[in-house]
Amino acid sequence: MRTRRLTAAAAATLGLSLLSGCGGNGDTKNGEVTLEFLSLAWQKESVDANKALVQHWNDTHTHVKIKYVQGSWDNIHDQLLTSFEGGEAPDIFHDDASDLTDFANGGYLADLTKYLPASLRKDIPRASWDTTTYEHKTYGVPFLQEPRVLIANTKLLKRSGVRIPTAQHPWTWAEFESISKKLTRDTNKDGKQDTYGVAWSMKEPVSQSVNLSLSTDGKIFYKDKDGKNEIRYDTADSAVAQLINRQVNKDRTAPKSGLGMSGSDTLPGFFAGRYAMLPLNFSYRQQVQQQAPKGFDWTVLPMPSGAGGLAQGTAPQTLSVSQDSKHKQAAADFIAYLTQPEHQVQLARGDWLLPTSTEALEDPSLTTAKNGWRTGADMAADLRPSPVLGVRGYAEWKDKIATPAYQEYYNGAFGIDELRKRLASDGNRILDRYQR
């Protein structure tokens, strides 16, 4: 998509705001401020969109220039931590909400509350702001997000005769379980499935297990009476995990081999008709569209609904300002520019994600049925902050406790009681250490 030009009035307004916010010397030269922007865009369309927006800003702003710096998701946490501690952090940086908790607690992030325009505050829903707000301070602007969806083989769905769900009339989890059985087939009667109803890719099992628990009215991470974080793993919290366990170990409607796979690993089997449905993040649609064999017909369906409706947790991509930046207002103004609705549309399409902007979500290019965009847009209102956001000690719990516990449970190594013990009893000891 072509970069849309700012109106002269908008450019003038931003310019005045920048002038009032840029005092001091620091990286100012000849009256011109240069701010570093660390971007994690990696797909060509997204990188091109980011660079075009930076170029347009630089072409239309006299006193504040942006230097684009390319980063990588592979090492962003360590890179930022090193730069913060070394006093060389970029003024503006791209990250995701799950990374902001520890950085905010470390005093590395600027509180953007007083710097952001009211129009931006209004355009992005409260649920999205809640992902970057701790103790009434806003440490980032959430701008891109993605739900988990079902990517399904249309031919196999039609052959089974099942009802096709929509965001307005989704399957229940019980229906999904029943439909997975209908889609599981042993056509040559050799006792082995030729097609599984679903393949759960669980190489990284924690975030999806936690985030999908919201659909069954669970949460896993709660606040106790003193306002401290605690882990509970009651029936509502474990309902989705127990369903996955049944599908793999009892009903055999999901292959055990999928448990060690990433989302990308499941695609060849999906194209070959071995798996009828894949629960994947929304952005995987791009890989499906690019890699699907000629004539392969696929569709995007919402995840099933439970007592919590279609709710699921998400940790949006974010734009933040370093506490050490000498030009916080100028940095926040650039973020406001980058997250204008028309710009969010460009960035979302480049990454095959959803914008957080309410106005951007109404763009025709994001509400078309093609490639499942409409399904995602219809699900946006049900996205909630991931329960793990703001939980100190989550990373250690995930790595040391939850990842191995979920992997063993899904493989059938032990039952739900042992999983509850490991996640909650053992996990709370970790959280308590961070809250003394």
Side-chain angles (χ1 to χ4, degrees):
M1 295 179 64
R2 292 183 179 179
T3 304
R4 300 185 184 182
R5 308 293 277 181
L6 280 174
T7 65
T13 300
L14 283 169
L16 289 173
S17 175
L18 289 168
L19 282 172
S20 65
C22 294
N25 297 312
D27 49 3
T28 303
K29 184 177 181 181
N30 298 325
E32 182 180 286
V33 171
T34 298
L35 304 178
E36 281 196 355
F37 166 42
L38 178 66
S39 170
L40 301 182
W42 62 277
Q43 300 191 80
K44 184 180 184 304
E45 289 182 13
S46 182
V47 172
D48 289 348
N50 274 272
K51 287 184 174 180
L53 289 170
V54 168
Q55 184 61 53
H56 179 248
W57 170 280
N58 288 337
D59 289 345
T60 56
H61 292 77
T62 304
H63 300 285
V64 176
K65 302 298 182 181
I66 302 298
K67 178 183 177 182
Y68 182 94
V69 179
Q70 186 63 60
S72 170
W73 286 106
D74 293 338
N75 60 0
I76 185 57
H77 179 87
D78 292 342
Q79 180 185 353
L80 285 172
L81 185 59
T82 299
S83 68
F84 287 141
E85 293 180 343
E88 298 179 349
D91 297 274
I92 306 144
F93 65 90
H94 182 181
D95 203 351
D96 77 63
S98 64
D99 221 11
L100 302 188
T101 304
D102 288 340
F103 289 152
N105 276 283
Y108 299 127
L109 308 183
D111 174 13
L112 300 179
T113 305
K114 66 181 180 181
Y115 299 115
L116 298 175
S119 58
L120 178 62
R121 282 282 188 186
K122 184 178 179 181
D123 186 41
I124 296 176
R126 173 65 184 273
S128 293
W129 286 116
D130 285 346
T131 65
T132 60
T133 301
Y134 313 120
E135 297 181 354
H136 308 293
K137 295 181 179 180
T138 300
Y139 292 107
V141 175
F143 72 113
L144 294 176
Q145 60 187 342
E146 63 177 328
R148 202 159 185 83
V149 295
L150 292 171
I151 298 180
N153 183 316
T154 303
K155 179 181 176 180
L156 297 181
L157 285 180
K158 289 180 177 178
R159 186 175 69 184
S160 69
V162 302
R163 177 180 72 84
I164 305 301
T166 64
Q168 293 73 31
H169 302 285
W171 288 330
T172 64
W173 281 107
E175 282 181 287
F176 170 73
E177 206 164 358
S178 174
I179 287 164
S180 295
K181 293 176 183 178
K182 288 184 179 180
L183 291 168
T184 299
R185 296 170 63 90
D186 175 13
T187 55
N188 61 7
K189 308 300 181 185
D190 66 350
K192 297 181 180 178
Q193 285 88 338
D194 302 307
T195 298
Y196 288 92
V198 60
W200 289 95
S201 49
M202 286 290 174
K203 187 174 183 179
E204 300 286 344
V206 180
S207 62
Q208 57 183 308
S209 299
V210 173
N211 289 333
L212 289 177
S213 71
L214 294 180
S215 70
T216 56
D217 213 19
K219 196 172 179 181
I220 301 179
F221 289 88
Y222 297 86
K223 296 285 188 181
D224 66 14
K225 58 182 177 58
D226 296 320
K228 292 185 177 181
N229 296 310
E230 69 172 359
I231 300 168
R232 304 175 204 159
Y233 208 62
D234 298 325
T235 302
D237 307 295
S238 65
V240 174
Q242 288 182 274
L243 179 146
I244 296 170
N245 182 283
R246 284 195 302 273
Q247 290 192 312
V248 172
N249 299 296
K250 179 183 176 183
D251 300 333
R252 302 291 196 270
T253 55
K256 186 167 285 192
S257 59
L259 299 178
M261 295 182 182
S262 67
S264 298
D265 294 335
T266 61
L267 294 183
F270 178 63
F271 297 142
R274 185 157 174 77
Y275 318 129
M277 298 182 292
L278 299 177
L280 294 172
N281 285 344
F282 195 56
S283 56
Y284 273 95
R285 297 168 304 123
Q286 183 186 33
Q287 290 187 45
V288 175
Q289 189 270 338
Q290 292 177 342
Q291 299 174 19
K294 185 176 180 179
F296 183 84
D297 194 8
W298 57 281
T299 189
V300 178
L301 310 174
M303 290 299 292
S305 170
L310 281 175
Q312 57 176 279
T314 186
Q317 293 185 26
T318 57
L319 295 167
S320 298
V321 176
S322 302
Q323 178 62 32
D324 286 346
S325 175
K326 298 180 177 66
H327 307 283
K328 295 181 179 63
Q329 183 63 65
D333 285 340
F334 175 72
I335 290 176
Y337 157 82
L338 206 62
T339 53
Q340 289 175 10
E342 63 268 32
H343 298 161
Q344 282 201 41
V345 171
Q346 294 174 257
L347 299 175
R349 287 186 60 81
D351 271 328
W352 288 64
L353 300 173
L354 295 176
T356 57
S357 162
T358 303
E359 183 178 336
L361 275 169
E362 297 174 355
D363 189 278
S365 68
L366 302 184
T367 56
T368 176
K370 186 177 181 180
N371 295 327
W373 281 104
R374 181 182 299 162
T375 298
D378 287 345
M379 296 176 66
D382 292 294
L383 297 180
R384 301 287 182 267
S386 173
V388 309
L389 297 178
V391 177
R392 299 200 67 197
Y394 165 71
E396 183 178 346
W397 174 82
K398 175 185 175 183
D399 293 340
K400 293 183 178 179
I401 302 291
T403 295
Y406 273 120
Q407 287 175 337
E408 291 181 61
Y409 173 70
Y410 289 139
N411 271 288
F414 50 73
I416 190 63
D417 290 339
E418 176 65 15
L419 181 64
R420 286 195 173 103
K421 174 184 176 298
R422 294 194 186 190
L423 295 181
S425 299
D426 296 349
N428 278 321
R429 283 195 285 272
I430 289 178
L431 265 57
D432 287 346
R433 260 196 295 112
Y434 285 82
Q435 299 180 104
R436 289 172 182 167

